[in-house]
Amino acid sequence: MTHQDHRTHQADGWRLFRGDRTARQVEFPDAPPWRQFGDGTGSSRARHRPYLIGRTEADVVSAALHLRRPLLVTGHPGTGKSSLAHAIAHELSLGPVLQWPVNSRSVLKDALYGYDAIGRLRETHLRQERGETEPDIGTYVRLGPLGTALVPRDRPRMLLVDELDKGDVDLPNDLLTVFEEGEFEIPELSRLPETQSEVPVLTHGSGGERVTVTRGVVRCREFPVVVITSNGERDFPPAFMRRCVRLDLPDPDEARLRDIVAAHLGEDALSDVEDLLHAFINRRAPGELATDQLLNAVFLRKGGVDLDAEGLLDAVLHRLGGMV
C-alpha cells in the first residue's frame, strides 16, 4: 500500500480531537512502546527498551565496570545517555535503576539520605500524651538514591546521576569523597547511644525495603555501577574528570537510525518512511534534533496521521534549542 493509499484508507480516523466542541467517546489507540507505563496492577514501570550501541562504546562501558569507576556519558540530547544506564542494568541483571535527576537546587545530602525531624517530633509528642513509647528514629530516615546504591550487597546496584552539569558548580567535588571512600555517615544515627548502634532505615524507591545501618555509617561492599550524564553545558573539575571513565555518544548516522527505528517499531516500520528519514537527516544539526523525535514521527505516520512529511516534521521535530 502506498503512502497515499494508506492515508486515504485511514481517512479521518486518526483525529481524536477535532476542536468542534462536540462531546464524544473515542477509542484511544495503543501508545508508543516507550510511553507505556504498566498494566495497571501497581507494578513498577518496565524501563527496558531496545538499546543499540557500537562495539567501541560498549568496550568503554566494560572498562568502567572493571575499574569500578563512574562512567561519565556525554552527547547531544536524544543520543541515549540516560537509556544506557537502563540497558546496562537490564543486561547485567542489576535490578531497577536508582535515579538521581540533578537540578540547580540539588545537594549531595539529598541524594544520600533524608531525615524527617519534624515528623518524628510530632509523633513523639502524640505518643507521650498517650503514654506510649517514643517512635523508632529509623522510621524517619530514608536513604536517597546514592545512599541506597552504597548499601553493602554482594552485587552492585545501578545508579543514574542524570544531567550533573545542571547542578551547583561544587557538586562534582562533593561527590568525589563519597565515590572515593564508598561510604558516608548519617550523623543523626551515629550520635545515638551504643544500645542503638544498629538502626533499620528505609531505602529509596517504592518497595519499602529496610536495611540496617550500624553506628550511622553506610559503607558499600561492591561499588555501585554509576552512570553520570552531561549535556556538556559546562566543564567539570580536573580532579573529578580524573576519577571518571569518559564516553561520548555520537549522533547516529543513517544506518544506525534505520536500526533504531526497526528495533523500537519493527522492521515493517521502515517501509514508506523514507521521506521522514531523509527530512530528519537534512534538518538535523548538532544538538537541534533528537532520535526519539524521529521515532515519534514514524509512529504517527504508521498510525495513519494524515500529514505530509514536512508538516509532520514541523509539528514533531521541533528544534530543541532556542525560542519556540
Side-chain angles (χ1 to χ4, degrees):
M1 181 183 293
T2 66
H3 172 49
Q4 183 63 40
D5 292 338
H6 184 65
R7 292 196 301 173
T8 302
H9 175 72
Q10 292 289 335
D12 283 345
W14 67 272
R15 288 190 171 92
L16 304 179
F17 174 74
R18 304 190 179 210
D20 58 8
R21 301 186 300 279
T22 300
R24 59 177 64 87
Q25 292 287 334
V26 299
E27 182 177 349
F28 279 78
D30 291 338
W34 53 89
R35 293 298 296 168
Q36 296 176 9
F37 294 87
D39 55 9
T41 61
S43 60
S44 60
R45 177 187 177 189
R47 293 302 306 267
H48 173 60
R49 291 166 49 183
Y51 190 85
L52 303 181
I53 187 171
R55 174 61 65 86
T56 300
E57 291 78 18
D59 287 347
V60 175
V61 174
S62 292
L65 295 174
H66 279 284
L67 294 171
R68 306 304 200 271
R69 288 292 188 182
L71 181 68
L72 177 60
V73 186
T74 58
H76 295 129
T79 51
K81 298 186 296 296
S82 300
S83 298
L84 176 59
H86 295 278
I88 296 171
H90 171 76
E91 187 170 323
L92 303 184
S93 301
L94 300 180
V97 175
L98 298 165
Q99 301 185 68
W100 181 25
V102 176
N103 57 50
S104 60
R105 299 178 300 278
S106 296
V107 294
L108 179 61
K109 180 180 177 298
D110 293 338
L112 293 174
Y113 77 98
Y115 172 52
D116 184 6
I118 296 177
R120 185 186 180 210
L121 181 62
R122 184 184 300 112
E123 182 65 19
T124 298
H125 287 163
L126 291 175
R127 292 196 180 194
Q128 287 176 346
E129 292 176 357
R130 296 194 297 260
E132 300 173 355
T133 58
E134 294 185 4
D136 179 18
I137 187 175
T139 306
Y140 300 93
V141 176
R142 180 183 289 273
L143 300 181
L146 175 54
T148 300
L150 293 172
V151 168
R153 296 182 177 88
D154 293 332
R155 285 181 59 79
R157 290 291 302 271
M158 164 61 73
L159 172 68
L160 170 61
V161 182
D162 209 10
E163 298 190 333
L164 181 61
D165 50 340
K166 293 188 180 300
D168 184 80
V169 66
D170 292 326
L171 187 56
N173 283 329
D174 293 340
L175 282 168
L176 280 181
T177 300
V178 176
F179 284 160
E180 287 300 294
E181 301 297 330
E183 67 176 37
F184 69 97
E185 181 184 20
I186 303 176
E188 292 84 354
L189 301 185
S190 61
R191 291 194 293 260
L192 295 174
E194 187 65 26
T195 55
Q196 296 177 272
S197 61
E198 295 188 346
V199 180
V201 301
L202 292 167
T203 57
H204 180 75
S206 58
E209 178 191 9
R210 285 181 175 269
V211 296
T212 298
V213 176
T214 302
R215 294 182 178 86
V217 176
V218 177
R219 180 182 296 110
C220 69
R221 186 177 302 128
E222 275 288 337
F223 188 75
V225 178
V226 181
V227 170
I228 302 172
T229 72
S230 169
N231 289 325
E233 295 183 1
R234 62 179 176 83
D235 295 330
F236 295 123
F240 178 81
M241 295 294 294
R242 181 167 59 86
R243 291 168 172 85
C244 295
V245 175
R246 175 77 178 271
L247 172 62
D248 186 48
L249 292 180
D251 293 326
D253 57 18
E254 182 174 347
R256 180 58 61 84
L257 287 173
R258 292 178 186 277
D259 291 341
I260 291 173
V261 170
H264 285 81
L265 297 172
E267 290 287 343
D268 60 338
L270 290 174
S271 63
D272 194 32
V273 294
E274 289 297 319
D275 55 340
L276 292 179
L277 184 61
H278 291 155
F280 175 86
I281 293 173
N282 291 334
R283 288 174 173 225
R284 184 177 65 178
E288 288 294 327
L289 295 178
T291 305
D292 56 354
Q293 291 175 288
L294 174 62
L295 291 174
N296 290 338
V298 174
F299 179 81
L300 290 176
R301 166 66 63 76
K302 302 306 290 187
V305 174
D306 189 13
L307 296 173
D308 59 45
E310 289 302 312
L312 186 57
L313 290 178
D314 286 339
V316 180
L317 301 185
H318 54 82
R319 291 185 305 154
L320 299 181
M323 298 181 62
V324 177

